[in-house]
């Protein structure tokens, strides 16, 4: 397995695993994501799509390397958002003041009932942590470190066979 193949596989498995953990904690663990939690997921979705594309382009001139780079960059972006989110949770950064609710037309009473039915999830409140690190912090650690490994592996040139 070449370095590029390893990078390609990591670019698929890391965001898929992190998304599985986030979605599992939401739908099986009952943790409700805040707005910034959703922000961290979007680059992972993009990374999965880019990594799948890199598998499809293995026979091309650059062997899908550029899609692996883009996937690594997307994973890094998710980690950077995780750093910001963890900083908001620790009070280092000021958080966003956006509050979202699914509002779909109707009367004022319907809109109010819809807002009241949705939980208000604050971005500066830690819902779960392990070893003192929140989910946003773990996303930052895993995403940034994995992105750096993916980019390093994808830049390595194969060794000559007789070296």
């Amino acid at each position: 397995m070449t370095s590029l193949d390893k990078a390609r596989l990591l670019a698929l498995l890391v965001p898929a695993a992190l998304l599985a953990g986030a979605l599992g904690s939401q739908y099986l663990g009952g943790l409700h994501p805040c707005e910034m939690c959703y922000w961290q997921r979007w680059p992972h979705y993009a990374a999965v799509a880019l990594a799948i594309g890199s598998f499809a382009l293995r026979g091309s001139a650059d062997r899908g390397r550029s899609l692996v780079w883009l996937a690594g960059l997307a994973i890094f972006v998710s980690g950077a958002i995780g750093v910001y989110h963890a900083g908001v949770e620790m009070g280092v950064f000021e958080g966003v003041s956006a509050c979202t609710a699914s509002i779909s037309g109707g009367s004022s009473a319907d809109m109010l009932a819809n807002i009241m039915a949705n939980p208000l999830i604050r971005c500066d409140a830690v819902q779960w942590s392990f070893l003192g690190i929140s989910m946003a912090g773990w996303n930052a650690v895993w995403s940034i470190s994995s992105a750096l490994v993916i980019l390093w592996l994808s830049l390595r040139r194969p060794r000559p066979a007789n070296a």
Side-chain angles (χ1 to χ4, degrees):
M1 179 180 272
T2 68
S3 295
L4 181 58
D5 290 333
K6 291 175 186 174
R8 180 180 287 118
L9 191 58
L10 279 175
L12 177 65
L13 295 180
V14 167
L18 290 172
L19 282 169
L23 294 170
S25 69
Q26 178 180 350
Y27 293 109
L28 301 175
L31 298 178
H32 298 285
C34 71
E35 185 70 21
M36 286 196 283
C37 293
Y38 286 116
W39 294 355
Q40 292 171 76
R41 293 179 187 184
W42 288 111
H44 285 310
Y45 290 125
V48 167
L50 290 163
I52 290 170
S54 78
F55 278 101
L57 295 176
R58 280 189 295 200
S60 71
D62 81 338
R63 299 180 315 248
R65 185 182 310 271
S66 57
L67 291 181
V68 173
W69 291 341
L70 290 172
L73 181 62
I75 295 167
F76 188 86
V77 166
S78 178
I81 296 168
V83 167
Y84 175 66
H85 189 182
V88 168
E89 291 171 338
M90 293 186 298
V92 174
F93 306 121
E94 177 128 357
V96 295
S97 59
C99 178
T100 60
S102 304
I103 300 175
S104 56
S107 69
S108 307
D110 291 339
M111 288 176 24
L112 181 59
N114 194 3
I115 291 170
M116 297 305 288
N118 287 309
L120 176 61
I121 307 302
R122 293 177 35 169
C123 294
D124 61 351
V126 176
Q127 293 186 54
W128 179 90
S129 68
F130 178 68
L131 300 175
I133 302 173
S134 70
M135 285 184 73
W138 282 114
N139 178 58
V141 168
W142 282 105
S143 294
I144 291 172
S145 60
S146 299
L148 293 174
V149 169
I150 290 164
L151 293 172
W152 175 72
L153 284 171
S154 67
L155 292 171
R156 287 184 62 194
R157 297 291 175 212
R159 289 184 184 162
N162 56 359

